[in-house]
Amino acid sequence: MKNTMKRLFATILVLSMILSTSIIAYADDKVLTGNLNDGITYSFDTKSGTLSIDGNGDVEIVVDYYNRDEESVRPWVDSNEYPWYGSNYERNKLIFGDGITGVTSCELLMCFKQIHFGAGFDLLKYIEDEGYCYHYWNEDCTLSEDNESAKLVDGVLYSKDMTKLLKFPISKSDKNGVFYVPSGVKEVCTDAFGGYLQGDGSGSSFKYVVFPKSVTTIHQNYFEKLDAVFVLNPKCGISSDFGDDDLFNFNQSTIIYQAGRKNYYYSSEHVDESENDCAPLVFKNTRYYALYDKKYDYTGKNITPNLIVLNKNGKILKNKKDYTLKLPKKRKTIGTYTIIAKGKKGNKKAVKLKFYILPKKVVVTSVKRKGGKITLKWKNHKAQTTGFQIKYATNYDLRKAKTITIKNKKATSKTIKNINKKKFYYIRIRAYKKVKGKKYYSRWKYIEC
């Protein structure tokens, strides 16, 4: 009797679990509706993860930026009042109706993969005045053709009159790696490039951005991972917040070249001016500009510089059609090499461009600190190497750093002694190769411990 009761109880329990699971699944596959603020309603399709917001005016979302979990950087939002924030739901698409003019919280924008802005959404106002809410902009974002404030052209967001560049999509790509800002654009708004370009794993292929002569003002932007930014207007106003510290994240090597300037802007204090080059090429009476990396790591194979030549209007010229390049036949080993560039179609003056092949960057495998010692270990690096150089200090920019030179190409470790036990250390190591009395150094490897 007892066994029968146990079996019956187990059967009821299993059936109740199956029934509750089916009920939950059914509940999830429905459309949730409700009111937000005055005159604003929402409809959330839990199956497709689509949130539609309609009404007239701004959408108000109450966000508590102070009440959050210790491990979370995201603010707390009430998932009972705003059910799409529930952990069980996908958040795929957000659709603003034509009567919606704006939103008070960037949290609403940040959590959806795709956004459609309706005709009434004042993107110009919100991006210029509250640009922090619009960091997220990709090629999947769409805009009503009737929108009165902005215009979408090939995934790039501009003001309606095409005089302001508002947002560049983080996932946009191009086979040539160059984005030409259209002529007629006068102002590049703050965070137009948003700090996401190539830096977020989105697959963006852009290496260069060219701003035409019509651009008169460039506000603070973060051109992460770009090789060069080219400003064709020598009188273009560079905002005071366009300096090295604000313009870039550190440890990048982007260059900004402005026509008419002898100096270039660099993104990091750790980048040597010779690490990249953005030098003018002059073919007879016509000025061309060459963008190319000046330093290359040793690979054991012939190195061919990735060189792009633009005319004075920023148009990319074609090799063999507009100019010719002559490279040394052998360009494998560490040393200095020369490219001879010669223009065609009446511009036949030859220009010499130097580039360098350097030892490979050191690959550090271990950093151990014990007592007053720090021990570094790195992979075997003897190919095309004469020795190593180590610098260390307790300050970030390594001012007054102590230097250790290792004159042994087979070395794979070094112990730094007499370290202050109570202080944090910044260390960098590089390899060098001596060729005909000249030392060629690899790029630094940075370590903190």
Side-chain angles (χ1 to χ4, degrees):
M1 182 69 178
K2 289 182 179 180
N3 291 336
T4 304
M5 290 297 293
K6 286 182 180 179
R7 291 193 193 98
L8 179 62
F9 179 76
T11 303
I12 293 171
L13 180 63
V14 170
L15 287 172
S16 65
M17 291 175 66
I18 294 172
L19 182 61
S20 63
T21 302
S22 63
I23 291 173
I24 292 172
Y26 174 78
D28 281 347
D29 292 341
K30 66 178 183 179
V31 177
L32 305 176
T33 60
N35 297 316
L36 295 173
N37 46 296
D38 293 341
I40 308 294
T41 61
Y42 71 83
S43 173
F44 181 55
D45 187 330
T46 60
K47 186 174 182 180
S48 65
T50 300
L51 173 64
S52 300
I53 298 180
D54 289 295
N56 294 292
D58 286 358
V59 178
E60 296 180 9
I61 301 292
V62 179
V63 177
D64 187 348
Y65 287 93
Y66 299 98
N67 182 11
R68 66 180 81 183
D69 296 333
E70 291 184 2
E71 298 180 357
S72 175
V73 297
R74 302 298 296 274
W76 179 84
V77 182
D78 188 350
S79 59
N80 292 319
E81 188 171 358
Y82 312 115
W84 56 87
Y85 283 109
S87 59
N88 295 328
Y89 298 132
E90 290 285 333
R91 293 177 287 273
N92 294 317
K93 189 172 183 179
L94 171 60
I95 302 173
F96 289 111
D98 288 340
I100 302 299
T101 55
V103 62
T104 60
S105 171
C106 58
E107 277 301 310
L108 182 61
L109 304 176
M110 295 292 283
C111 67
F112 282 89
K113 298 174 184 177
Q114 182 181 356
I115 306 171
H116 173 78
F117 296 95
F121 205 104
D122 193 347
L123 282 163
L124 188 61
K125 172 190 172 184
Y126 275 79
I127 287 177
E128 286 192 315
D129 297 345
E130 302 179 37
Y132 62 88
C133 283
Y134 293 90
H135 287 296
Y136 187 83
W137 184 273
N138 62 30
E139 281 193 315
D140 292 328
C141 293
T142 56
L143 177 68
S144 169
E145 292 183 357
D146 297 325
N147 189 283
E148 298 177 358
S149 65
K151 185 176 183 179
L152 199 59
V153 180
D154 193 24
V156 183
L157 188 67
Y158 302 90
S159 60
K160 194 71 172 182
D161 60 4
M162 292 289 290
T163 60
K164 295 181 180 181
L165 195 160
L166 303 177
K167 279 294 171 186
F168 187 90
I170 61 176
S171 56
K172 188 173 175 61
S173 60
D174 178 85
K175 64 179 181 181
N176 295 317
V178 183
F179 173 63
Y180 293 99
V181 176
S183 180
V185 171
K186 296 180 180 180
E187 184 178 350
V188 180
C189 293
T190 301
D191 284 343
F193 288 84
Y196 292 100
L197 201 57
Q198 286 202 358
D200 70 332
S202 62
S204 176
S205 63
F206 279 89
K207 292 185 177 182
Y208 306 101
V209 174
V210 180
F211 294 106
K213 289 183 178 180
S214 62
V215 174
T216 57
T217 305
I218 301 176
H219 294 287
Q220 180 180 351
N221 275 272
Y222 297 83
F223 300 103
E224 287 186 7
K225 301 276 181 84
L226 286 172
D227 287 353
V229 175
F230 202 75
V231 183
L232 294 178
N233 185 354
K235 296 181 180 180
C236 176
I238 306 298
S239 298
S240 59
D241 57 2
F242 197 70
D244 289 346
D245 292 339
D246 293 323
L247 179 59
F248 301 98
N249 283 351
F250 285 117
N251 300 323
Q252 307 296 338
S253 57
T254 307
I255 309 169
I256 288 191
Y257 177 80
Q258 185 174 11
R261 292 181 61 96
K262 293 182 180 179
N263 301 322
Y264 311 127
Y265 296 96
Y266 284 87
S267 62
S268 171
E269 61 190 274
H270 296 316
V271 178
D272 295 332
E273 290 197 1
S274 58
E275 187 132 331
N276 288 296
D277 194 23
C278 189
L281 278 176
V282 181
F283 296 146
K284 204 172 181 179
N285 296 323
T286 306
R287 172 164 287 191
Y288 294 83
Y289 300 97
L291 305 174
Y292 74 106
D293 291 332
K294 200 170 184 178
K295 293 187 176 183
Y296 296 86
D297 294 339
Y298 170 77
T299 62
K301 300 178 181 179
N302 269 342
I303 299 292
T304 300
N306 180 23
L307 184 143
I308 291 183
V309 179
L310 304 93
N311 67 10
K312 61 183 179 181
N313 295 317
K315 180 183 177 181
I316 291 183
L317 304 179
K318 293 183 179 180
N319 187 15
K320 297 181 181 180
K321 179 181 178 181
D322 300 305
Y323 62 92
T324 60
L325 295 176
K326 185 178 180 181
L327 292 165
K329 290 183 179 180
K330 295 182 179 180
R331 46 188 191 281
K332 294 181 181 180
T333 57
I334 309 300
T336 303
Y337 298 85
T338 301
I339 310 170
I340 299 176
K342 186 181 290 187
K344 300 179 77 171
K345 299 180 181 179
N347 301 309
K348 296 184 179 181
K349 182 177 179 179
V351 178
K352 294 182 180 180
L353 301 171
K354 290 183 178 181
F355 71 95
Y356 307 94
I357 298 179
L358 309 174
K360 290 190 298 184
K361 190 174 183 178
V362 176
V363 178
V364 175
T365 57
S366 173
V367 182
K368 292 184 179 180
R369 183 168 179 168
K370 187 175 182 181
K373 299 178 182 179
I374 297 176
T375 300
L376 304 179
K377 292 184 179 181
W378 58 88
K379 286 187 177 182
N380 186 297
H381 203 282
K382 62 183 180 180
Q384 289 289 300
T385 301
T386 302
F388 303 88
Q389 185 183 71
I390 298 173
K391 290 192 175 186
Y392 63 99
T394 56
N395 52 294
Y396 175 76
D397 55 6
L398 282 92
R399 290 192 306 269
K400 297 181 180 179
K402 293 183 179 180
T403 302
I404 299 172
T405 301
I406 304 169
K407 298 180 180 180
N408 178 9
K409 68 179 182 180
K410 295 181 180 180
T412 57
S413 67
K414 180 63 181 179
T415 298
I416 304 172
K417 301 178 181 179
N418 301 318
I419 293 297
N420 189 323
K421 298 179 182 180
K422 297 181 180 180
K423 291 191 175 182
F424 193 83
Y425 277 82
Y426 298 90
I427 307 168
R428 59 184 181 181
I429 179 173
R430 63 181 177 180
Y432 72 88
K433 172 72 174 176
K434 203 169 184 178
V435 180
K436 296 180 180 180
K438 181 178 179 179
K439 285 184 179 179
Y440 292 85
Y441 292 95
S442 73
R443 305 172 199 269
W444 287 108
K445 170 63 180 177
Y446 289 89
I447 306 150
E448 299 177 1
C449 68

